[in-house]
Amino acid sequence: MKAHTRAVVHPGGRLGELHCTPPLTLRRVHADRPDASALCLVGSAAGPLAGDELIAELTLTPDARATLVATGASIAQGRGEMPASLAWRVELAHRAHLVADPGPLIVCEGSRVEVEVTIALAEDSHLEWRELVVLGRSTDAVPGAATVGWDVTRAGRPLLRQSVALGGTDVGNLDGAGGHRVLASALLTGPDVAARTVVHTRTSVAQRLDEHTVLLTVLGDGAADVTRALTALRAEF
């Protein structure tokens, strides 16, 4: 399946464009601020499945504000010659502000999925973007395999480029995650962010990327525990 979803947010919470193709369906929900647009990702079909090519684009024009949440997890499943791909393409113009958590991605036995997060920032835009990958439905399940890649630029300059390979063919093979089955990440950047490196534990670290950008990374074996640890680390900023 090929699916392409696109949303454009303008100032004052105005949604200028919304085009959705299952399973990536966006719905507008109540926003906490009258000048913001709140979007919710709804799983309107199974996926990502083997061979799926899913693309979601989100653009914020100058001075626009938006939030993105999900109703639940995306579940990668199904065996096939081709992996599933899930690509987020985000563009934030001057003074745009986005807080996004597109929900957990659960990678089931036999499945392979490639996640790409491509973000183009203006010099003075603000972003908080979270990713949560869970290998296997349970702690004793055989994990699938996932690759999570970030390509982030600010004003055309590289800010973050990295790729992490997770999972393997058996429950003991969790390369890339240090033997853990859950990886949570958050990218926080903006003119008001006082970036610094913070080490809570050896599996919970905030890495300073530049003066106004940090990458938070937490590893663990339970999604709830990892999410709480990420939230505690986020509170440092």
Side-chain angles (χ1 to χ4, degrees):
M1 174 189 293
K2 293 186 178 181
H4 191 172
T5 290
R6 174 171 170 77
V8 178
V9 180
H10 295 296
R14 184 166 60 90
L15 194 59
E17 179 183 344
L18 182 60
H19 170 79
C20 301
T21 305
L24 300 177
T25 300
L26 292 173
R27 291 286 183 261
R28 189 168 187 177
V29 295
H30 176 72
D32 293 334
R33 297 173 53 123
D35 63 343
S37 180
L39 300 173
C40 184
L41 182 63
V42 178
S44 53
L49 305 177
D52 280 358
E53 298 179 16
L54 311 180
I55 299 173
E57 296 185 30
L58 181 57
T59 300
L60 273 62
T61 60
D63 297 303
R65 298 182 68 97
T67 60
L68 172 67
V69 296
T71 57
S74 298
I75 302 178
Q77 53 191 322
R79 301 174 184 271
E81 294 184 2
M82 297 295 295
S85 66
L86 172 60
W88 282 97
R89 299 173 182 172
V90 180
E91 184 175 353
L92 303 187
H94 289 290
R95 300 172 301 280
H97 189 288
L98 173 65
V99 177
D101 183 352
L105 172 64
I106 300 174
V107 188
C108 298
E109 178 181 358
S111 65
R112 294 181 295 145
V113 59
E114 298 173 352
V115 181
E116 299 178 3
V117 183
T118 303
I119 302 171
L121 302 165
E123 195 70 54
D124 53 359
S125 52
H126 183 283
L127 172 73
E128 181 175 345
W129 186 281
R130 294 194 178 200
E131 287 289 328
L132 179 64
V133 179
V134 181
L135 301 176
R137 288 179 178 266
S138 62
T139 56
D140 58 350
V142 177
T147 302
V148 182
W150 294 82
D151 186 352
V152 184
T153 59
R154 179 188 286 125
R157 303 185 305 272
L159 182 60
L160 172 64
R161 285 178 178 164
Q162 74 170 28
S163 180
V164 179
L166 307 167
T169 57
D170 58 75
V171 75
N173 182 9
L174 297 176
D175 292 342
H180 299 285
R181 58 182 294 270
V182 182
L183 169 66
S185 307
L187 181 68
L188 180 62
T189 184
D192 58 342
V193 176
R196 67 191 191 282
T197 296
V198 177
V199 180
H200 271 189
T201 68
R202 65 181 184 86
T203 57
S204 180
V205 177
Q207 179 183 359
R208 180 186 185 275
L209 300 183
D210 69 10
E211 183 180 4
H212 298 294
T213 307
V214 290
L215 177 65
L216 286 60
T217 304
V218 178
L219 291 166
D221 296 311
D225 291 340
V226 167
T227 299
R228 282 192 292 268
L230 186 67
T231 298
L233 190 59
R234 169 65 179 88
E236 297 282 349
F237 302 93

